[in-house]
Amino acid sequence: GEDVEQSLFLSVREGDSSVINCTYTDSSSTYLYWYKQEPGAGLQLLTYIFSNMDMKQDQRLTVLLNKKDKHLSLRIADTQTGDSAIYFCAESLNNNDMRFGAGTRLTVKP
Amino acid sequence: GAVVSQHPSWVICKSGTSVKIECRSLDFQATTMFWYRQFPKQSLMLMATSNEGSKATYEQGVEKDKFLINHASLTLSTLTVTSAHPEDSSFYICSAREPRENIQYFGAGTRLSVL
C-alpha cells in the first residue's frame, strides 16, 4: 500500500521498555524519522536514521531499520511517564516531501 | 536542533473573518516550508508546500483561495485562512526544511476555533 503504518496504541508500565513499530512504503527513502507530539503541541524531532544504517542509539532511544522488510522501530528504554505522547514515524520521499504514519499513542502507567 | 516559531498558538474568531498564522525559522534559512492540518486524534495532512519567492504548491483538495500562503522571505511563511467557517476549526502546524540536514523542524502549532 501507500501508507506508512503504525499501531495506534501502546501501553507500558513505568520503567519498562517501549517498542513502537512502523512499516514504510518507499524502498528508496533516504531518511526515516521519529517525531514526538505532546498534547496541544507541535512535533518534536526525536531521532532519524539514514537508510544505509541498521541501528542508531541515542541515550534511551534505539532505532532499528530493516530495509528488506521496510520496517522501522523505536525502542525507549526505562520508559517514564513523561514519555507519554504520540509518536509519528515518517519517511522522506524522492521529492523531499515526507510521508507520516498515523501516530502511535504511548501511555505510560505508573 | 533548529527552531521554528509559530504564532499565534491559539486563536478564536467569528465566522467570516480571516486569520493569519505565521511560521518563522529562527536560526536557519528555509527556502521550503510546509503547512499541515491535523484533525483530533489523526495524523498530519499536508496542505501545501511553501516556496520562497514563488507560488505555493497545494495538495489535491485544498482550496488555494481559501488558504492563502505567502513565503516572502527565507525565514517567514504565512498562512491566511480567509472567510473562516466552523469547519475550518482545526490544529494547523507548519514546518521548515533545514537545508543542510534535509530535516523538517516543526512549529508548536496553532489551534484555530471558528465560532
Side-chain angles (χ1 to χ4, degrees):
Chain A
E2 293 193 355
D3 293 335
V4 175
E5 296 186 347
Q6 304 177 235
S7 53
L8 295 182
F9 302 98
L10 176 65
S11 180
V12 301
R13 293 208 175 274
E14 192 174 17
D16 289 348
S17 292
S18 306
V19 179
I20 303 172
N21 295 300
C22 168
T23 54
Y24 60 98
T25 63
D26 190 345
S27 57
S28 63
S29 290
T30 52
Y31 294 81
L32 296 140
Y33 310 85
W34 284 103
Y35 286 88
K36 176 184 181 182
Q37 185 181 33
E38 298 188 31
L43 273 67
Q44 172 197 355
L45 177 67
L46 282 180
T47 187
Y48 63 94
I49 189 169
F50 294 109
S51 60
N52 62 357
M53 298 168 66
D54 298 323
M55 186 195 81
K56 180 179 180 181
Q57 186 167 2
D58 183 5
Q59 299 183 335
R60 293 191 296 123
L61 306 179
T62 303
V63 179
L64 295 178
L65 174 61
N66 181 329
K67 280 198 72 175
K68 176 176 172 290
D69 295 336
K70 288 186 279 187
H71 182 266
L72 183 73
S73 68
L74 173 69
R75 178 177 180 270
I76 305 173
D78 188 25
T79 314
Q80 303 297 307
T81 54
D83 295 324
S84 293
I86 301 175
Y87 291 81
F88 290 94
C89 165
E91 63 176 338
S92 63
L93 304 175
N94 284 335
N95 60 358
N96 286 325
D97 285 349
M98 292 176 68
R99 182 178 288 141
F100 288 84
T104 299
R105 184 178 295 274
L106 174 64
T107 302
V108 183
K109 299 179 179 179
Chain B
V3 179
V4 173
S5 172
Q6 185 174 343
H7 292 282
S9 56
W10 190 15
V11 58
I12 302 173
C13 68
K14 293 183 179 179
S15 186
T17 59
S18 294
V19 175
K20 181 186 283 188
I21 304 170
E22 293 189 348
C23 183
R24 294 180 187 272
S25 55
L26 296 187
D27 48 5
F28 64 98
Q29 293 185 329
T31 55
T32 307
M33 293 186 176
F34 303 86
W35 288 97
Y36 295 85
R37 184 172 179 176
Q38 186 179 32
F39 293 99
K41 298 185 179 180
Q42 294 189 27
S43 189
L44 285 74
M45 181 190 78
L46 179 65
M47 298 175 65
T49 302
S50 172
N51 302 296
E52 188 269 337
S54 64
K55 291 183 179 179
T57 304
Y58 289 81
E59 296 299 302
Q60 192 173 6
V62 178
E63 299 175 58
K64 58 182 67 175
D65 294 331
K66 174 75 170 175
F67 299 99
L68 298 179
I69 291 172
N70 184 287
H71 194 154
S73 79
L74 286 171
T75 59
L76 173 64
S77 175
T78 61
L79 168 68
T80 301
V81 183
T82 61
S83 186
H85 287 91
E87 58 265 29
D88 299 324
S89 298
S90 192
F91 193 59
Y92 294 88
I93 308 177
C94 75
S95 70
R97 181 187 292 143
E98 206 286 344
R100 292 171 300 172
E101 299 174 303
N102 197 29
I103 290 175
Q104 287 189 34
Y105 289 95
F106 285 79
T110 297
R111 183 164 304 284
L112 171 63
S113 298
V114 185
L115 304 178

